[in-house]
Amino acid sequence: MKKRFLLLPFALLSALVLFYACQKEVSFENGGIPSVGMLQSDISGDCLPKTVTGIYEEGTALATTTNYIDVEVDVLVAGSYTIYTDTVNGMYFRATGVFATTGINTVRLAGYGTPVADGIFNFVVTYGLTECTVPVTVLPDGATSPAVFVLSTGTGGECMGAVVSGTYTAGTAVTSANQVVINVNVTTPGTYTLSTTATNGISFSGTGSLPATGAATITLTATGTPGTTGTTNIPVTVGASSCSFPVTVTGPATYTVNCGTASVQGTYTQGVALGAGNTVNIGVTVTTIGGYTITGTVSNMTFSHSGTFTTTGPQTITLAGTGTPSASGTLNVQVNSGSTPCTFPVTVNPGTPAANDYYPRTTGSNWSYQFDGDFNDSILVKVIPETKTAFGNIFNIFMATDDASAGFDTSGYYRKAGGVYSRFTNLAGYLSFDDDQWVEFTFLKDDQAAGHTWTTAAWSGTIGGTPVSVRIKFTVVQKDVTVTVGSTSYSNTIVIEERYEANLGFGWVDATPVFGYYKDYYARNIGWLYDEIFDENDDSMGRMDIRRYAILP
C-alpha cells in the first residue's frame, strides 16, 4: 500500500546491499484482473480430481515436461492465476497463466527440484483462498525398473473394486475429473505405464510407481469424447491378467430449478467469507437424466453444484456457497441453469465496523493518496472481498492503481490480531531480493505506549547476487495525538518510526546514514494517513498524504 523510494550509493554496495525500488507486491503475476475460483477437493482435503504424472526417483531432478500434477479449478471470475505447492522433499509444483473462461478448468503444475529421499510425500496445492493435498510417491535411488504386478479380478472378469469418478456425457469431452482407480497386486516394485484400448470414444491411461510389494492401487485418467449413451465396459490388460470396468455414459440432463423451494442455511454477513455451513437446499424437477451444473450468483457470492442425475422426477440438491458478500440486505441470487431462469433470496446482515481499528480491512473500504501535494500524482487503494491464507493466518487483500481505467494490482496482504497489525509480503518485491521469500511481520501496534520498540526477524538472501542480512526496527513515537493533513485534523493518531538495520558480519548496524528513515501516521477507524521519509539529518525527502477515504462496515 506504500511506495518506498530508497537510494543506495553504489560505492556502499559491497558493504551494505539493501535498497528499494518502488515498493510493489505482484501476486497476480500475469497482469490484468486476477481470477477468482476454488480448487476441487473431497471432505478430507485431497485434491479431487488429481493426476500425478511422471517417475519420481530419489536423487533424480524433475523434468517440467514429464513430471507434473493436473488439478481442477472451478473458476468463478476469469483472469490471471498462480497455483503452486509448498516445497517438500526438495520438490515443488507451480503454474501461472490466465483463465479465459469460467467453470471447470484443468491446470497443469510443472514439477521442479530434486527429490532427496524416497517415500510418499503430501504436497499442499494453493490457489487463492483454497487448498488441497496431492500425494507423490518417490522411488529409492535406482528403483526405476518396470514393476511386475497383476490385476485384481472378480469371478465375472470385472476389475474387482474399481472406482470410476467423473461425469460421462455423450458428445462432451472428458476432463481430468474422469478417472478410475483399479486394484493390483505387486510382486516386484518399480514403475508402470498402463493404457486401455479406446472404447466408445474414450480410453484410460496412467504412469507412476509402485514402491512396495502386495496390494496397491493405480489411477488411470480418461481421454476422448464418449460417443453414445449407455453402459460401456472398458477392458484393461496387464501381461496375462485382464479385467474390465463399466462406465455409464449419459446425455446432458434436462431439468427445471424450483427457486421457490430454496432453503438457505447458515448466517451471511457483509464482508465475512462464506464457509462450509453456507449452503442452499433447492428442489429440481428432472425430465432427462444426465450431467448438470447449477450455479447462482449475487454480490460476490456463488452457490453451485455439479453432478449427474440418475433418476427423473422431483429431487433436492445442495448448493455450496463461496465468496464474500459485498452488500447487505435481502439479495436475490440469479440462477440461470436449467430450462427456466429463476431467483431466490439470501439475507445478508450488515458488517460491524471496528470500534478501535487503526488499519481497517473491511471489504470495499478505499483511500486515495497524493505524492508531495501533487493532485495529478496519486493512487487509489481498496480492499477486495477475497482473502489470502498464509502461515495459518487469513489476510485481507489490498489493491491499488494510479489509473482506475487500467485496472488494479495487489498492494499488500494485511491482518489484525488484538492490537497487533501484520503484513504478509514477498521480499523479492519488498526488499528486491533475488529470489522469492514470503514473510510476515508486524508493522503497527495500537496497544503499546510511546517509546515501545520491536524488530522483525532477520531476513537473509541475495540482492544482485550479493548476500545480505536485514531487519526493520519499529518504534511507537507518539500515541493518540492529533495531526493535520491538508486542512483536516485527525485525532487518536499513532506515529510509527521505521528504520532499517543490516548485519555486515560484526553485528547489527543502523542503516539510516544510507537510507534515511520513515514515519507513518495511522488514525483510529480511518487507517493510514500519510508517511514521510527523512534523511540522516532529519530533513524531509518526500511524503504521501491521504486525500479522501471511505470506510465500509
Side-chain angles (χ1 to χ4, degrees):
M1 185 172 168
K2 306 169 186 176
K3 276 190 174 181
R4 295 299 205 209
F5 296 90
L6 293 180
L7 303 178
L8 178 65
F10 287 108
L12 296 180
L13 185 61
S14 61
L16 183 63
V17 181
L18 171 62
F19 65 92
Y20 273 113
C22 173
Q23 176 181 322
K24 181 181 181 183
E25 295 182 38
V26 182
S27 64
F28 304 113
E29 300 177 358
N30 294 282
I33 301 300
S35 63
V36 178
M38 51 190 167
L39 291 162
Q40 303 298 285
S41 61
D42 61 19
I43 193 170
S44 65
D46 288 339
C47 295
L48 183 68
K50 57 184 178 292
T51 303
V52 180
T53 299
I55 305 302
Y56 300 81
E57 181 183 356
E58 176 187 1
T60 300
L62 274 56
T64 57
T65 56
T66 56
N67 295 103
Y68 54 82
I69 295 173
D70 287 337
V71 296
E72 283 199 352
V73 177
D74 186 0
V75 180
L76 306 178
V77 178
S80 60
Y81 68 83
T82 297
I83 304 177
Y84 58 93
T85 73
D86 50 353
T87 300
V88 181
N89 193 35
M91 305 177 292
Y92 68 94
F93 299 82
R94 183 179 177 88
T96 61
V98 176
F99 290 125
T101 60
T102 58
I104 300 298
N105 284 256
T106 299
V107 178
R108 178 160 295 177
L109 283 66
Y112 299 87
T114 301
V116 297
D118 65 290
I120 300 176
F121 301 90
N122 287 315
F123 289 80
V124 177
V125 182
T126 299
Y127 165 59
L129 315 179
T130 59
E131 295 180 342
C132 60
T133 59
V134 175
V136 175
T137 300
V138 178
L139 294 173
D141 185 16
T144 55
S145 57
V148 178
F149 60 97
V150 295
L151 300 166
S152 300
T153 60
T155 55
E158 75 277 6
C159 297
M160 188 166 59
V163 178
V164 179
S165 58
T167 299
Y168 300 80
T169 304
T172 301
V174 297
T175 70
S176 61
N178 298 99
Q179 298 180 331
V180 62
V181 178
I182 59 176
N183 295 303
V184 299
N185 188 52
V186 182
T187 56
T188 303
T191 63
Y192 70 87
T193 297
L194 180 60
S195 299
T196 71
T197 56
T199 306
N200 193 23
I202 53 176
S203 61
F204 292 76
S205 63
T207 299
S209 57
L210 296 167
T213 59
T217 61
I218 288 176
T219 299
L220 306 178
T221 302
T223 56
T225 300
T228 60
T229 60
T231 299
T232 298
N233 289 311
I234 308 294
V236 187
T237 299
V238 174
S241 65
S242 62
C243 64
S244 64
F245 58 90
V247 171
T248 300
V249 180
T250 66
T254 57
Y255 58 94
T256 300
V257 180
N258 307 313
C259 285
T261 65
S263 175
V264 179
Q265 311 296 314
T267 300
Y268 300 80
T269 303
Q270 180 183 4
V272 178
L274 273 57
N278 297 109
T279 60
V280 176
N281 298 323
I282 196 167
V284 296
T285 301
V286 181
T287 304
T288 305
I289 64 173
Y292 70 89
T293 296
I294 298 176
T295 300
T297 60
V298 69
S299 187
N300 205 52
M301 294 186 294
T302 299
F303 299 88
S304 63
H305 190 271
S306 297
T308 302
F309 292 126
T310 58
T311 60
T312 60
Q315 44 199 287
T316 300
I317 62 172
T318 299
L319 306 179
T322 58
T324 302
S326 58
S328 61
T330 300
L331 310 178
N332 289 317
V333 178
Q334 179 69 46
V335 179
N336 293 319
S337 308
S339 59
T340 305
C342 62
T343 62
F344 63 85
V346 172
T347 301
V348 179
N349 300 317
T352 303
N356 187 35
D357 196 333
Y358 289 80
Y359 209 86
R361 299 157 314 287
T362 50
T363 297
S365 293
N366 58 89
W367 306 257
S368 65
Y369 299 88
Q370 62 188 25
F371 297 93
D372 293 328
D374 185 352
F375 187 86
N376 296 314
D377 185 10
S378 61
I379 62 170
L380 172 64
V381 181
K382 67 177 182 179
V383 184
I384 62 175
E386 292 74 30
T387 57
K388 173 70 176 178
T389 300
F391 301 145
N393 298 314
I394 298 176
F395 296 81
N396 297 101
I397 301 176
F398 283 59
M399 305 289 285
T401 184
D402 58 5
D403 181 1
S405 65
F408 286 74
D409 203 354
T410 313
S411 69
Y413 305 97
Y414 300 91
R415 73 180 183 94
K416 177 187 177 185
V420 177
Y421 303 75
S422 300
R423 177 174 186 164
F424 175 67
T425 189
N426 187 354
L427 295 182
Y430 196 79
L431 293 178
S432 297
F433 274 34
D434 294 334
D435 299 314
D436 287 347
Q437 186 177 154
W438 288 89
V439 301
E440 179 183 0
F441 66 88
T442 296
F443 65 93
L444 170 64
K445 296 182 180 181
D446 69 21
D447 56 357
Q448 298 296 326
H452 176 75
T453 65
W454 70 94
T455 57
T456 66
W459 303 315
S460 297
T462 60
I463 299 177
T466 302
V468 297
S469 185
V470 63
R471 69 185 185 186
I472 306 175
K473 180 179 179 180
F474 295 90
T475 301
V476 180
V477 178
Q478 293 176 291
K479 180 71 179 294
D480 290 334
V481 295
T482 297
V483 300
T484 299
V485 182
S487 59
T488 304
S489 295
Y490 299 88
S491 58
N492 301 116
T493 297
I494 298 176
V495 184
I496 301 293
E497 184 181 84
E498 180 179 337
R499 293 180 183 261
Y500 298 88
E501 299 180 335
N503 192 328
L504 307 179
F506 47 83
W508 292 99
V509 296
D510 182 16
T512 298
V514 177
F515 306 132
Y517 64 94
Y518 288 91
K519 283 186 179 179
D520 293 283
Y521 297 75
Y522 304 93
R524 181 186 297 173
N525 299 329
I526 296 173
W528 183 52
L529 294 179
Y530 73 93
D531 80 341
E532 190 169 12
I533 183 172
F534 299 87
D535 64 17
E536 61 178 317
N537 298 316
D538 299 323
D539 294 325
S540 177
M541 299 170 62
R543 61 185 277 173
M544 183 164 68
D545 298 307
I546 195 168
R547 283 171 46 187
R548 48 149 298 278
Y549 65 90
I551 309 301
L552 299 188

